[in-house]
């Protein structure tokens, strides 16, 4: 059913998917934490659940690359002879309001799931990130996450002059699943989307600040999103 976006799935995504299956198969601790997080006692049901939502996370985590590639092409044009990309023109994305706007029917579904209204994907993702991470990572408050997400597409110069394809992957997949294909929404879908959102630079540079002292490692336990 994902014909429209399967065209962008490459061998890397398949390898990531297979790696996740291998980890689930061989790591009893991970399986236990996943079952606990998803409140699934039956091992077979849990394995099928993981197959579905890890598949969603892994196979579509890079569909936002069409947004990053033009940025990198322009940046690489100037990166010769030791020149730095931040000193030269760069690609950015403006007028994002319509792109991140959530359809009214989908807003109603989200309100049923979370008891509050979300108008944009940015506001939804900021809430989901804060809900899972703020207790462990001081930077992951809803306000701070929203501030970061709103600047990702339009101000890459604020993020080391890199465009985060993961932001676009999560946003595009949200629109495809729930607005174009009108899939019935579960919280597990949104866990997959936040996993996609975090996989590139957001977690490293805006949540954990992994190059600084006192970094807290991410652990796939039942308190966080194991995906």
């Amino acid at each position: 059913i994902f014909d429209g976006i399967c065209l962008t799935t490459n061998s890397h995504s398949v390898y990531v998917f297979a790696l996740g299956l291998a980890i689930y198969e061989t790591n009893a601790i991970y399986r236990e934490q996943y079952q606990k997080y998803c409140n699934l006692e039956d091992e077979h049901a849990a394995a099928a659940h993981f197959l579905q939502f890890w598949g969603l996370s892994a196979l579509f985590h890079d569909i936002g690359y069409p947004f990053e590639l033009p940025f990198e092409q322009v940046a690489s044009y100037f990166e010769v002879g030791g020149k730095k990309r931040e000193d030269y023109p760069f690609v950015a994305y403006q007028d994002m309001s319509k792109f991140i706007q959530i359809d009214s029917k989908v807003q109603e579904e989200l309100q049923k799931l979370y008891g509050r209204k979300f108008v944009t994907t940015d506001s939804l993702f900021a809430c989901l990130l804060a809900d899972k991470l703020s207790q462990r990572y001081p930077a992951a408050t809803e306000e701070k996450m929203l501030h970061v997400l709103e600047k990702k597409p339009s101000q890459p110069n604020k993020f080391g002059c890199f465009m985060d394809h993961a932001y676009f992957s999560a946003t595009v997949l949200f629109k495809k699943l729930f607005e174009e294909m009108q899939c019935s929404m579960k919280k597990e879908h949104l866990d997959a989307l936040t996993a996609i959102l975090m996989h590139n630079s957001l977690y490293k540079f805006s949540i954990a600040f992994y190059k600084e002292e006192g970094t807290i490692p991410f652990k796939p336990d039942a308190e966080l999103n194991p995906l």
Side-chain angles (χ1 to χ4, degrees):
I1 61 175
F2 295 110
D3 288 347
I5 38 185
C6 267
L7 294 174
T8 62
T9 302
N10 56 26
S11 59
H12 162 71
S13 297
V14 176
Y15 291 149
V16 170
F17 175 56
L19 178 62
L21 296 183
I23 291 172
Y24 190 89
E25 172 67 21
T26 60
N27 192 311
I29 295 174
Y30 183 85
R31 290 197 304 274
E32 179 184 341
Q33 293 300 320
Y34 189 84
Q35 287 181 238
K36 185 176 179 181
Y37 176 82
C38 298
N39 195 27
L40 295 169
E41 295 184 2
D42 182 77
E43 292 183 4
H44 295 290
H49 189 278
F50 179 78
L51 182 67
Q52 178 182 358
F53 292 104
W54 171 246
L56 191 66
S57 304
L59 295 175
F60 302 102
H61 75 279
D62 277 346
I63 61 173
Y65 258 114
F67 291 89
E68 183 174 323
L69 292 176
F71 177 90
E72 286 297 324
Q73 285 182 314
V74 171
S76 65
Y77 182 83
F78 297 102
E79 286 184 315
V80 292
K83 295 179 180 178
K84 297 181 179 179
R85 60 172 60 188
E86 53 264 33
D87 297 329
Y88 292 90
F90 58 85
V91 171
Y93 296 96
Q94 305 295 329
D95 196 18
M96 292 286 294
S97 57
K98 189 173 182 180
F99 181 64
I100 64 173
Q101 181 82 21
I102 298 176
D103 178 83
S104 58
K105 290 184 178 180
V106 181
Q107 287 186 33
E108 292 175 5
E109 284 193 64
L110 287 167
Q111 191 150 16
K112 291 176 183 177
L113 281 177
Y114 293 101
R116 57 179 286 191
K117 186 176 182 179
F118 297 101
V119 178
T120 68
T121 51
D122 283 357
S123 62
L124 170 63
F125 291 149
C127 174
L128 295 175
L129 290 168
D131 180 59
K132 299 294 184 188
L133 302 173
S134 59
Q135 293 295 319
R136 195 170 301 188
Y137 298 94
T141 66
E142 187 170 345
E143 181 181 7
K144 289 178 181 177
M145 289 295 95
L146 181 59
H147 180 73
V148 168
L149 294 175
E150 288 178 339
K151 292 186 181 309
K152 278 278 185 184
S154 60
Q155 299 185 41
N157 51 309
K158 301 290 186 182
F159 303 97
C161 271
F162 287 95
M163 185 62 67
D164 187 2
H165 67 270
Y167 168 87
F168 290 97
S169 294
T171 307
V172 168
L173 188 55
F174 180 93
K175 307 289 279 188
K176 291 284 185 183
L177 288 174
F178 307 122
E179 295 185 5
E180 293 186 27
M181 298 169 58
Q182 299 182 350
C183 293
S184 179
M185 185 187 298
K186 298 180 180 179
K187 287 187 176 182
E188 291 93 329
H189 288 112
L190 301 176
D191 283 341
L193 290 170
T194 51
I196 290 172
L197 181 65
M198 289 174 62
H199 90 268
N200 186 41
S201 63
L202 178 68
Y203 169 75
K204 293 188 291 184
F205 297 108
S206 299
I207 295 174
F209 303 100
Y210 83 112
K211 290 187 176 181
E212 299 179 10
E213 292 185 10
T215 299
I216 303 171
F218 189 91
K219 296 180 179 180
D221 57 37
E223 294 179 13
L224 302 178
N225 172 4
L227 293 173

